Amino acid sequence: MKQKLFTFFFALVASVSAIYASDTEVDGIWYDFNDTDLTATVTHAGYDISSSAYSGSVVIPETVTYNNTTYSVTRIGDYAFFQCLDLTS
């Protein structure tokens, strides 16, 4: 029973980590990459939104290249600019 509980807990932790593993910074902007349709969503950085707030003028490109793969930037994610008090444009 303990073995099964440990295995379940380990699988749960691994799956939650995988959700956040795709948040990656490229040229000052954080993205979540979708390898299935080669699209990217602008996100906030990691777990602590306040420590990763954008500031100044943020220019979101039409495409972004990461690990030699080019993704179309198609979406701005929920809360991507949450608590960005110094955002000018």
Side-chain angles (χ1 to χ4, degrees):
M1 180 66 178
K2 287 183 182 181
Q3 174 91 16
K4 288 182 180 181
L5 185 58
F6 176 77
T7 302
F8 172 75
F9 179 74
F10 181 75
L12 180 64
V13 170
S15 66
V16 169
S17 297
I19 292 170
Y20 292 101
S22 59
D23 285 338
T24 306
E25 185 267 334
V26 177
D27 297 329
I29 300 176
W30 290 85
Y31 299 95
D32 179 24
F33 296 109
N34 183 327
D35 291 324
T36 304
D37 62 4
L38 298 179
T39 60
T41 300
V42 176
T43 66
H44 59 82
Y47 304 102
D48 184 8
I49 294 172
S50 64
S51 70
S52 62
Y54 297 103
S55 63
S57 177
V58 177
V59 178
I60 300 171
E62 290 184 27
T63 61
V64 62
T65 301
Y66 178 69
N67 282 344
N68 296 319
T69 301
T70 300
Y71 298 85
S72 295
V73 180
T74 58
R75 188 168 179 267
I76 297 174
D78 296 338
Y79 303 104
F81 297 105
F82 182 67
Q83 294 185 348
C84 295
L85 303 177
D86 296 327
L87 193 64
T88 58
S89 65

